[in-house]
Amino acid sequence: MHHFMRFLVITALLMLMACDTGSPEAQGGPVAMRRLTEQQYHNAIADTFDSQILVAGRFEPDSRRLGLNAVGASLVSVTPSGFEQYEAMALYIVGQVTSPQHRQRLLRCQPQDAARADDDCSRLMLGQWGRSLFRRPLTQAELQSRTRIASETATASADFYAGLGLALSSLLVSPDFLFRIEMLEAAATTEQSEPLQLSSLSLATRLSYFLWNRGPDEALIAAAQRGELASKEGLKREIDRMLASVYLAGGVRAFFEDVFTFDQFTELSKDVARYPLFSSDIGVLAREQTLRYVVDHFVIQERDYPSLFTSRQLPMTAQLGPLYGLPVRSGQNWETLTLPTSYPRAGLLSQVSFSMLFAHPGRSSPTLRGVFMREALLCQTIPEAPADVDFTLFADDQQAEYKTARERLTQHATDGSCIKCHQFTDPIGLGLEVFDGIGKFRNTENGASIDTTGDLDGRSFANPIELGQAFARSPLVGACLVENLYRYAVGREEVNTERRLLRYLEVQFEQSGYHLTELLREIASSEGFRTATRGDGQLALPSGVKATNSVGKTPTVSMAPTTRRGESL
């Protein structure tokens, strides 16, 4: 009934939008402070200095909310030990930047005397680095205090680079760098406190992390400073430029990596006695294969979303070839294969990454695979298994009586507390059972033939290829992508004032032929993306670090001195 009602709503919107092509009004939800992810931190260092500057250290884990780390980023804090790690990373970066090996290339100026302070050179470099790291120009107070630190330290140590390095390290451990702090201002069209909109620089940052997964470049910061993002024309011009950038591939990659929960690959392990083809390198390549597939599909070929589930093109390396049973000509390089129609795989769901990740160390798991497909691709919530459920029968996958996963699940799911969820997840998860715990194709399990027939919400399928075709035809697949992408863009769950906007985006996505670039453009230019309401602005920061978020003002951030030291189914 819920799906039928959604269909009626979308149909009605299609009729209304035949005469109204404008995006609906939508007041965005609360702003927040979002901690940079590990990849975003790496990108910031590469953009501020260059790719030769290495980052070494341990990052604290992200927090997944509503299926996305991008949403959980506003809920995570930095522990004292985590802050020490940031300090250690900062010192390592500073050591490289100011070293004789790199300083000539990375510094736009050199001191008149390397044994003395040079305020002009320090001010120039700190202003440049701060603008990139903070994603905004430094205030006069911020620049003056750090220039003074550089001068005093250089004088005391008789080393200009020691002073500059200490001032740079203060930028690298600042909350203004480690967190994306969004600021609000009253809309230019009204003198009232509502509606509120993101400040131009905050909007620039939100845009760049949404489309590129990295901070704004100099052109975007300059456009924000000139007030161009406040007009529809100026905003459209920047969005078009960003969608045409080579950085778009990184943004698309980051979004799908988050939706697919591929951060779990860092802890993936398998029983090598059962799966001798598996290694940590194979796991890395399987993850990379799917992300390359997605970027090539959407960014290079500009294909539609449904065909992601049916395409027979697949990036491949020689190391993955044996897992797929395919010959690969190249050695260490990637090449794109076109799978023959007789091959038992096609599309996203047939790739080994998902079969590998959503399985147990020693066996496959139709339930884990079904849960992933329901939650990540259809945006449906599956409850956790009851704590007192006995998994013994299903876990014994080498018994004589129930040889296949389907037979074991049929017996296990007779429990009244289990059957409802299993009926929801297992039919589609069993459609991938011809792929074992690392994604290798098989026809039998324990000598018995594997049955992959099933049903996806009324669409029957006989094998993984037809399962992909069923997903390609499902109206929920496009709607779920819209929901996930909007949440990823704004870093939170949608609020009531945005629900009409989401329905509008679903319709526009369908009318565009399900092209991702058009959906990115619609979200980035929507009112919900640009506006916001007041949040509490509070976030748990390390001891001694404070930050406040005030409407229309630069965030106040202070930092106290720190002591430096040298299983289910």
Side-chain angles (χ1 to χ4, degrees):
M1 181 62 70
H2 170 74
H3 303 326
F4 178 69
M5 291 302 296
R6 171 176 247 173
F7 172 77
L8 289 179
V9 170
I10 293 177
T11 301
L13 279 172
L14 277 169
M15 296 174 64
L16 287 172
M17 289 170 190
C19 18
D20 180 9
T21 58
S23 175
E25 293 183 2
Q27 182 71 29
V31 294
M33 295 170 60
R34 298 182 177 88
R35 194 181 72 188
L36 295 187
T37 66
E38 181 174 348
Q39 184 59 57
Q40 290 166 355
Y41 186 102
H42 279 266
N43 288 343
I45 298 306
D47 290 343
T48 302
F49 308 108
D50 65 23
S51 59
Q52 294 185 42
I53 301 302
L54 304 178
V55 176
R58 178 184 59 83
F59 289 81
E60 293 190 303
D62 295 318
S63 175
R64 191 169 292 278
R65 295 290 188 275
L66 301 173
L68 296 170
N69 283 327
V71 176
S74 63
L75 303 175
V76 291
S77 63
V78 177
T79 65
S81 63
F83 191 69
E84 289 184 357
Q85 286 294 322
Y86 280 129
E87 285 188 301
M89 285 188 280
L91 293 175
Y92 183 63
I93 292 167
V94 165
Q96 296 173 79
V97 171
T98 60
S99 69
Q101 177 186 356
H102 296 293
R103 64 176 61 149
Q104 294 293 331
R105 186 181 79 258
L106 297 179
L107 271 64
R108 292 170 53 192
C109 62
Q110 298 297 324
Q112 295 183 3
D113 184 348
R116 300 177 59 187
D118 187 327
D119 287 358
D120 290 339
C121 186
S122 293
R123 188 179 299 106
L124 175 66
M125 294 314 307
L126 291 171
Q128 173 187 317
W129 291 332
R131 184 181 177 90
S132 176
L133 293 171
F134 284 14
R135 302 166 288 274
R136 60 169 176 81
L138 296 182
T139 65
Q140 278 299 110
E142 289 170 333
L143 186 56
Q144 287 175 359
S145 65
R146 286 174 169 86
T147 302
R148 184 174 64 253
I149 290 172
S151 178
E152 292 173 353
T153 305
T155 300
S157 62
D159 186 346
F160 167 81
Y161 296 103
L164 183 65
L166 183 61
L168 173 57
S169 68
S170 75
L171 294 173
L172 291 168
V173 297
S174 170
D176 293 81
F177 166 54
L178 300 176
F179 293 87
R180 294 158 51 192
I181 305 173
E182 294 183 333
M183 303 303 302
L184 293 176
E185 60 189 16
T189 58
T190 178
E191 296 181 357
Q192 304 298 320
S193 59
E194 302 288 351
L196 297 172
Q197 60 186 16
L198 292 176
S199 69
S200 290
L201 287 167
S202 292
L203 178 57
T205 295
R206 182 179 279 194
L207 268 174
S208 64
Y209 279 100
F210 173 42
L211 298 178
W212 290 349
N213 196 41
R214 62 201 318 133
D217 62 2
E218 179 56 37
L220 185 56
I221 292 178
Q225 287 185 289
R226 291 192 298 266
E228 294 176 6
L229 301 186
S231 70
K232 290 183 178 181
E233 296 76 14
L235 180 61
K236 179 182 182 301
R237 185 166 52 249
E238 284 303 305
I239 292 173
D240 289 344
R241 181 182 70 85
M242 297 175 74
L243 290 175
S245 168
V246 295
Y247 290 145
L248 180 64
V252 170
R253 177 188 177 100
F255 167 68
F256 282 99
E257 186 173 22
D258 199 353
V259 171
F260 295 160
T261 67
F262 274 6
D263 54 317
Q264 297 181 73
F265 266 103
T266 58
E267 300 178 356
L268 182 66
S269 64
K270 296 292 176 180
D271 183 346
V272 293
R274 284 200 172 191
Y275 305 120
L277 288 178
F278 179 79
S279 67
S280 58
D281 290 341
I282 287 294
V284 170
L285 289 171
R287 171 186 182 177
E288 180 66 19
Q289 179 186 53
T290 297
L291 295 174
R292 282 175 176 262
Y293 171 77
V294 168
V295 169
D296 179 74
H297 188 90
F298 289 121
V299 180
I300 307 302
Q301 299 189 49
E302 298 183 342
R303 299 187 64 188
D304 62 89
Y305 185 47
S307 63
L308 187 75
F309 296 92
T310 60
S311 173
R312 289 187 174 273
Q313 292 187 319
L314 187 63
M316 187 66 65
T317 66
Q319 297 94 320
L320 289 174
L323 202 52
Y324 282 89
L326 292 170
V328 182
R329 293 187 302 272
S330 64
Q332 300 299 317
N333 298 324
W334 289 90
E335 64 178 80
T336 298
L337 302 182
T338 300
L339 304 177
T341 56
S342 59
Y343 192 68
R345 300 179 194 258
L348 181 73
L349 300 178
S350 293
Q351 296 180 19
V352 299
S353 56
F354 299 109
S355 295
M356 191 180 293
L357 189 60
F358 302 105
H360 295 295
R363 55 184 167 85
S364 64
S365 176
T367 304
L368 287 179
R369 292 170 183 174
V371 169
F372 163 74
M373 288 186 279
R374 288 287 180 187
E375 293 191 335
L377 303 178
L378 301 175
C379 293
Q380 297 167 334
T381 302
I382 308 299
E384 294 284 345
D388 59 350
V389 173
D390 183 3
F391 299 124
T392 305
L393 174 62
F394 182 81
D396 186 4
D397 61 347
Q398 294 184 324
Q399 58 170 294
E401 186 176 2
Y402 305 114
K403 295 184 177 181
T404 67
R406 183 182 291 272
E407 292 172 345
R408 294 190 299 276
L409 280 172
T410 299
Q411 294 301 313
H412 167 82
T414 54
D415 188 314
S417 63
C418 301
I419 189 168
K420 185 175 181 181
C421 289
H422 280 286
Q423 287 177 338
F424 203 49
T425 60
D426 294 352
I428 56 176
L430 287 166
L432 300 177
E433 259 302 285
V434 286
F435 306 130
D436 66 13
I438 60 170
K440 195 172 187 299
F441 183 82
R442 58 184 179 173
N443 282 312
T444 63
E445 183 181 10
N446 295 323
S449 296
I450 295 175
D451 179 7
T452 56
T453 60
D455 174 275
L456 172 64
D457 304 332
R459 292 175 174 81
S460 60
F461 57 85
N463 52 52
I465 294 177
E466 292 186 8
L467 174 61
Q469 293 169 352
F471 265 85
R473 294 192 303 268
S474 171
L476 298 182
V477 169
C480 181
L481 182 72
V482 170
E483 181 176 292
N484 277 330
L485 192 57
Y486 188 80
R487 290 174 173 179
Y488 177 88
V490 299
R492 54 169 172 75
E493 185 174 12
E494 66 278 5
V495 294
N496 287 334
T497 55
E498 296 171 302
R499 298 195 185 280
R500 184 166 173 259
L501 172 60
L502 284 179
R503 301 294 83 78
Y504 167 85
L505 292 171
E506 290 175 24
V507 172
Q508 293 300 108
F509 189 37
E510 180 181 353
Q511 291 185 336
S512 76
Y514 295 103
H515 282 87
L516 181 67
T517 303
E518 294 307 310
L519 179 58
L520 292 170
R521 180 179 283 106
E522 287 285 350
I523 292 175
S525 58
S526 70
E527 189 172 350
F529 184 84
R530 305 189 314 269
T531 63
T533 55
R534 288 186 179 88
D536 57 19
Q538 301 301 313
L539 183 68
L541 294 170
S543 176
V545 180
K546 299 179 181 179
T548 60
N549 194 353
S550 303
V551 175
K553 297 181 180 179
T554 302
T556 301
V557 180
S558 63
M559 183 176 302
T562 56
T563 302
R564 299 185 184 274
R565 287 188 267 177
E567 187 165 304
S568 67
L569 294 180

